[in-house]
Structure formats: C-alpha cells, structure tokens
Amino acid sequence: MTIEQLQRRYHWLKYEADFIADAQQAHVISEQANQVMAEIKQRLSTGDVNS
C-alpha cells in the first residue's frame, strides 16, 4: 500500500471505532489503526513512501 492508502485506512479504522457500539470490537479496530499508523511512521522515517 502507498502512504496515502495507509492514511486512508487509518482514518477509516479510527472513524469505524468511534461509531461502533461494542467496546471490545472498538478496541480491536483501534489497535489495527495504531498498527497502520506505526507502519506509516516507519515508512516516513525511512523515506519509503511509494511502497
């Protein structure tokens, strides 16, 4: 995925977690979003923005 695709995925996951009623499922989705953000930060720090 490109950085832009990862950013869209991150924002979608955060949006989804904000509106879900099940707290446990929201936590899982938030954790997925955090993993996506970690990948974005890692790629930006290494200059790998096109993969």
Side-chain angles (χ1 to χ4, degrees), residues 3 7 11-12 15 27 29-30 35 44 46 49:
I3 290 292
Q7 288 171 327
H11 289 296
W12 175 252
Y15 176 83
H27 175 76
I29 293 169
S30 290
Q35 291 171 3
L44 290 173
T46 62
V49 296

Side-chain angles (χ1 to χ4, degrees), residues 18 23-24:
D18 285 345
Q24 181 61 35

Side-chain angles (χ1 to χ4, degrees), residues 15-46:
Y15 176 83
E16 186 176 359
D18 285 345
F19 288 96
I20 198 158
D22 181 337
Q24 181 61 35
Q25 191 173 0
H27 175 76
V28 170
I29 293 169
S30 290
E31 188 58 38
Q32 289 172 343
N34 291 339
Q35 291 171 3
V36 171
M37 182 53 73
E39 183 174 348
I40 290 169
K41 288 179 180 180
Q42 188 272 329
R43 287 190 184 187
L44 290 173
S45 72
T46 62

